[in-house]
C-alpha cells in the first residue's frame, strides 16, 4: 500500500513569510507525528496527533509553529513569520498506535524547508 | 529524559562483509522500545528493526540483527553481507512505553565499497 506522503518536497521561502507543509499518513494509521531534522542531526520530535487532536505538542519550539489534523487523516504543519533557523527537513510519520513499545512509526520522504 | 548516543565516525565497509553500528542509550524507565532506521541520501527514514526492553532474544530481520545488552544499555545494529545499497545514515531511536515521541541519536554514516 501507499506510504506516508509529504508535499511539497522542497520549499524555499523568504524570512518573515508563512508556510504550510502537508502530510498524508498511511491509510488506517490513527497516530501522526511531526519531526524536524537539522543538518547532521537526528530527527527531533515536534508534535503528535491521535485522531484529530494534538495529544502532545511539547516539542513545538515556539508559538510560530502550529499543526492541525481536522479530519483525523491529513495534517498540515504551519509556520508563521519564518526565520532562517527554521531551515530544516520536516519529517512526518504515522503509526497504528499499538499498546506497549512496539508501535512502529513509518516516515514520509520529508519536506526540505529553506528560509532565505 | 532519554538520550541516545551514536559516536562512531563515518565507516567504510567492504561489500559482503558485516558491519556493527554502536548505540547506547540512557533511561531510567524499565519499559521501552528500541528502533533502528536507515536514511539514504534520498532522505526518507526507513524502519529496519525493533527490540523491546523485555524481549528475551535479540531481534533479527533478514540481514539485520540487534545485539541487545540491557545491563549495558546498548543496542548495536549488525548488518551482515553488506550491499552497495546499504550505504546510508543509520539512526538508533528509543521510545518509552506509553509515550509517543521517538528520541534519536545523531546517526552513523556507512559507505559500502565494492
Amino acid at each position: 500500500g501507499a506510504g506516508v506522503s509529504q508535499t511539497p518536497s522542497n520549499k524555499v521561502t523568504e524570512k518573515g513569510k508563512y508556510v504550510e507543509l502537508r502530510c498524508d499518513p498511511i491509510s488506517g494509521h490513527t497516530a501522526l507525528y511531526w519531526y524536524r531534522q537539522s543538518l547532521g542531526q537526528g530527527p527531533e520530535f515536534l508534535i503528535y496527533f491521535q485522531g484529530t487532536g494534538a495529544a502532545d505538542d511539547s516539542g513545538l519550539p515556539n508559538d510560530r509553529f502550529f499543526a492541525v489534523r481536522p479530519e483525523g487523516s491529513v495534517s498540515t504543519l504551519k509556520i508563521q513569520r519564518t526565520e532562517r533557523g527554521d531551515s530544516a527537513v520536516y519529517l512526518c510519520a504515522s503509526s497504528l498506535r499499538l499498546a506497549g513499545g512496539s508501535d512502529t512509526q513509518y516516515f514520509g520522504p520529508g519536506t526540505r524547508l529553506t528560509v532565505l | 529524559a532519554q538520550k541516545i548516543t551514536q559516536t562512531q565516525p563515518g565507516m567504510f565497509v567492504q561489500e559482503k562483509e558485516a558491519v556493527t553500528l554502536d548505540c547506547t542509550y540512557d533511561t531510567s524507565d524499565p519499559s521501552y522500545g528500541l528502533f533502528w532506521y536507515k536514511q539514504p541520501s534520498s532522505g526518507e527514514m526507513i524502519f529496519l528493526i525493533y527490540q523491546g526492553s523485555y524481549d528475551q532474544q535479540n531481534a533479527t530481520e533478514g540481514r539485520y540483527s540487534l545485539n541487545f545488552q540491557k545491563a549495558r544499555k546498548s543496542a548495536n545494529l549488525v548488518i551482515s553481507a553488506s550491499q552497495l545499497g546499504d550505504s546510508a545514515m543509520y539512526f538508533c531511536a528509543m521510545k518509552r512505553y506509553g509515550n509517543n515521541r521517538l528520541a534519536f541519536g545523531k546517526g552513523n554514516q556507512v559507505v559500502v565499497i565494492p
Side-chain angles (χ1 to χ4, degrees):
Chain A
V4 178
S5 62
Q6 293 186 246
T7 55
S9 55
N10 279 284
K11 177 70 177 178
V12 180
T13 190
E14 293 179 343
K15 180 176 179 294
K17 298 289 189 183
Y18 167 84
V19 297
E20 290 189 351
L21 312 179
R22 175 189 165 108
C23 172
D24 200 339
I26 293 171
S27 178
H29 281 193
T30 59
L32 185 145
Y33 313 79
W34 284 97
Y35 291 81
R36 178 168 71 174
Q37 186 176 21
S38 301
L39 196 62
Q41 303 294 319
E44 293 180 314
F45 171 82
L46 294 176
I47 187 170
Y48 153 66
F49 286 90
Q50 179 58 41
T52 60
D56 182 357
D57 64 358
S58 61
L60 295 177
N62 52 60
D63 61 6
R64 295 186 298 105
F65 288 74
F66 188 71
V68 295
R69 195 186 185 199
E71 297 178 357
S73 179
V74 171
S75 175
T76 304
L77 178 66
K78 308 180 180 193
I79 311 174
Q80 298 176 321
R81 304 182 304 280
T82 51
E83 300 176 357
R84 292 194 179 87
D86 298 335
S87 296
V89 175
Y90 288 81
L91 293 165
C92 177
S94 69
S95 76
L96 287 168
R97 191 63 180 99
L98 301 174
S102 63
D103 186 46
T104 298
Q105 297 179 23
Y106 296 92
F107 284 79
T111 293
R112 182 175 298 278
L113 175 66
T114 303
V115 182
L116 302 176
Chain B
Q2 306 147 80
K3 183 179 178 183
I4 308 293
T5 302
Q6 295 178 263
T7 56
Q8 285 168 304
M11 302 176 70
F12 290 90
V13 57
Q14 201 76 39
E15 196 177 7
K16 299 181 185 177
E17 291 188 349
V19 60
T20 298
L21 306 180
D22 295 341
C23 171
T24 59
Y25 57 92
D26 187 15
T27 182
S28 57
D29 199 309
S31 307
Y32 52 87
L34 295 156
F35 301 79
W36 277 91
Y37 286 85
K38 170 185 178 182
Q39 189 175 44
S41 56
S42 59
E44 187 165 354
M45 298 286 282
I46 302 167
F47 166 70
L48 296 178
I49 195 166
Y50 163 80
Q51 178 86 44
S53 61
Y54 296 111
D55 293 346
Q56 294 297 309
Q57 295 195 337
N58 287 340
T60 61
E61 195 68 52
R63 294 187 298 110
Y64 305 107
S65 60
L66 208 151
N67 183 3
F68 180 47
Q69 298 185 48
K70 190 171 182 178
R72 299 179 62 182
K73 293 187 177 177
S74 80
N76 299 340
L77 177 70
V78 180
I79 306 173
S80 62
S82 297
Q83 302 173 356
L84 296 177
D86 294 335
S87 295
M89 284 290 288
Y90 289 82
F91 289 93
C92 179
M94 183 176 73
K95 182 167 73 70
R96 289 186 287 119
Y97 280 26
N99 201 315
N100 312 295
R101 59 173 67 191
L102 281 169
F104 285 84
K106 289 189 175 184
N108 299 97
Q109 177 77 54
V110 172
V111 176
V112 180
I113 53 178

